[in-house]
Amino acid sequence: MKITISINLGGYAFNIDEDAYEYLQDYLKSLEREFEGEESASEIISDIEGRLAELFRQKLSSYKQVVTMSDVSEVIAILGTPEAISGSNNERTIPHSSRRIYRDPDNRLLGGVCAGLAAWFDINMWVIRFIFILLACGGGFGVLLYIVLWILLPEAKTTAQKIEMHGKPVTIENIKESVKREFNKVKHTMNL
Amino acid sequence: MNTDNTQAQMRKGILEYCILAILSRNSCYAIDIINELRKAQVIVVEGTLYPLLTRQKNAGLLSYRWEESPQGPPRKYYELTDEGKKFLAELDGSWQELVTSVNQIRGK
């Protein structure tokens, strides 16, 4: 059994599996990012959404009423990745200076501050935790610093932010990989 | 050197020309253009077409109207404007020049 979500895509209503929904949403988000700054970005994206809807409809019948992960993958393969669509073939790597620091909710002990900093520095999170513990023991400064950072740093909530936190470019491949990993983790913890 | 990349760049260069050439014969839906480009093997993924159509429309080369479609919501029906026709004629000229140049170099 799976939870489905109902969406409106290009004027059609669809029922879509939860994992497929997330994948599709990330695809559309990275399209938006790819066309950011283009004057008719919304027009291009609504054309693509219209085409997505047509392709999904071809995959559905009275025996198959829900859009699945494999449908989304196939349709994206037909339309192409956001990079291929916009024709930008520059490999975008994020320079370290412009990487954002987030709190990492997946590896947190308290607020995910240390795990987030470790992702930013590309080092083991126990190194950062050890430094904080040392600072906390020596006069309590570490506790204060931790609380301030907890308040200041945003939590990496979306898949795109989590990818960004690790300094990888937010591409559809990275998103897909990361959604799959999360999905498997949930499956594992729920013993499905 | 990556041959795939070179081929992709070549295709990209002539894609806009091909779109205008298809529309000069008759007005059609995006999907008809895609099918024809697919058949001629100048397009790999469908999505590439939509930004090009929108940019050409913004440049005044194309216009579209909404047409009712038998299955589902209305679709955009594209056609060449007068400016588009003039532009295409210029491109026809440059294409001929290119073919002649390449043939001249390769024919030796």
Side-chain angles (χ1 to χ4, degrees):
Chain A
M1 193 182 74
K2 273 184 168 179
I3 295 171
T4 65
I5 291 167
S6 55
I7 56 167
N8 167 1
L9 188 69
Y12 288 111
F14 290 99
N15 285 319
I16 180 166
D17 279 337
E18 209 177 5
D19 52 343
Y21 166 77
E22 258 195 51
Y23 184 27
L24 183 65
Q25 200 189 28
D26 281 328
Y27 177 70
L28 291 170
K29 281 221 181 101
S30 44
L31 270 180
E32 273 170 31
R33 253 195 308 275
E34 204 61 43
F35 288 109
E36 213 169 34
E38 171 118 14
E39 61 173 316
S40 322
S42 61
E43 192 178 351
I44 297 172
I45 288 165
S46 81
D47 283 350
I48 293 174
E49 283 187 0
R51 182 63 183 145
L52 280 169
E54 271 179 13
L55 291 169
F56 284 142
R57 271 176 58 99
Q58 289 168 12
K59 296 196 171 289
L60 298 179
S61 65
S62 48
Y63 301 106
K64 182 180 179 304
Q65 303 188 338
V66 176
V67 177
T68 62
M69 190 73 172
S70 68
D71 293 335
V72 177
S73 300
E74 281 168 37
V75 165
I76 288 177
I78 294 173
L79 277 163
T81 60
E83 297 80 36
I85 291 176
S86 78
S88 70
N89 48 1
N90 45 332
E91 288 277 307
R92 284 175 310 158
T93 45
I94 300 165
H96 204 266
S97 54
S98 63
R99 256 166 74 176
R100 302 271 307 269
I101 308 178
Y102 290 100
R103 286 185 290 117
D104 182 357
D106 299 331
N107 295 305
R108 73 197 171 103
L109 285 185
L110 277 170
V113 172
C114 292
L117 285 174
W120 193 79
F121 285 115
D122 270 331
I123 52 174
N124 190 299
M125 51 190 136
W126 282 104
V127 176
I128 305 276
R129 282 176 188 154
F130 185 68
I131 295 171
F132 268 91
I133 291 166
L134 277 186
L135 285 173
C137 294
F141 175 67
V143 179
L144 188 69
L145 183 66
Y146 192 92
I147 291 169
V148 169
L149 286 174
W150 195 340
I151 295 165
L152 287 180
L153 295 179
E155 184 181 310
K157 285 197 185 107
T158 66
T159 312
Q161 284 172 335
K162 284 175 191 173
I163 292 168
E164 207 187 342
M165 178 175 71
H166 291 282
K168 289 186 205 151
V170 184
T171 61
I172 201 76
E173 277 74 30
N174 282 339
I175 287 172
K176 191 178 171 187
E177 210 175 279
S178 158
V179 167
K180 242 189 211 157
R181 211 168 29 227
E182 254 165 75
F183 183 68
N184 284 336
K185 210 164 71 186
V186 171
K187 221 161 95 175
H188 187 74
T189 47
M190 288 175 79
N191 267 330
L192 292 173
Chain B
M1 183 111 182
N2 188 346
T3 41
D4 279 353
N5 192 28
T6 312
Q7 281 166 346
Q9 293 292 331
M10 278 181 166
R11 274 199 214 102
K12 210 163 94 183
I14 58 165
L15 200 50
E16 293 191 41
Y17 176 40
C18 291
I19 294 169
L20 295 176
I22 290 169
L23 285 172
S24 73
R25 276 183 275 121
N26 41 27
S27 323
C28 47
Y29 298 116
I31 186 69
D32 303 324
I33 306 174
I34 288 169
N35 287 338
E36 190 142 351
L37 292 172
R38 270 254 174 84
K39 240 193 297 172
Q41 298 185 336
V42 281
I43 202 169
V44 184
V45 288
E46 276 188 16
T48 328
L49 182 68
Y50 298 101
L52 291 177
L53 285 175
T54 304
R55 281 171 206 152
Q56 289 182 329
K57 184 213 70 184
N58 290 346
L61 305 176
L62 312 174
S63 63
Y64 67 81
R65 58 172 194 272
W66 291 99
E67 288 263 308
E68 294 293 330
S69 87
Q71 66 278 41
R75 293 161 156 186
K76 283 177 178 173
Y77 196 72
Y78 289 92
E79 61 190 350
L80 223 54
T81 60
D82 289 338
E83 205 179 322
K85 284 175 193 152
K86 242 193 296 179
F87 190 72
L88 178 63
E90 278 172 42
L91 287 182
D92 277 333
S94 357
W95 176 249
Q96 275 313 321
E97 279 168 31
L98 271 176
V99 171
T100 320
S101 315
V102 173
N103 281 345
Q104 193 190 328
I105 289 166
R106 298 218 49 206
K108 278 185 180 166

